[in-house]
Amino acid sequence: MPLIGWLFILAAIAMVVGSLLLLRDSANMKIPEDKLEKIRARKAQLDKEEQEQDKRGG
């Protein structure tokens, strides 16, 4: 294989590994407690509405 082919393969591997590392680092982001509380309240409200719809047969 010519040298340019090896360079393309090396660049592709480097881009994939770099993207995976970036994705791993961004997965550790912390959500502020006030936003978590809003999320939990909204989820509880949706669950309650869902249960009421199930009881009505809808």
Side-chain angles (χ1 to χ4, degrees):
M1 183 182 295
L3 181 62
I4 193 73
W6 288 110
L7 289 176
F8 276 122
I9 290 174
L10 185 62
I13 291 172
M15 286 184 359
V16 168
V17 170
S19 297
L20 288 174
L21 290 175
L22 186 65
L23 185 62
R24 183 192 67 179
D25 289 344
S26 67
N28 293 331
M29 292 173 42
K30 302 293 182 206
I31 299 175
E33 192 61 37
D34 59 333
K35 286 193 181 245
L36 273 177
E37 191 57 40
K38 285 181 183 179
I39 291 170
R40 289 183 186 123
R42 179 67 177 145
K43 183 178 183 300
Q45 179 186 4
L46 289 173
D47 287 344
K48 182 180 175 186
E49 289 175 5
E50 226 175 62
Q51 287 176 355
E52 289 174 359
Q53 284 181 353
D54 288 344
K55 286 180 183 177
R56 290 186 294 204

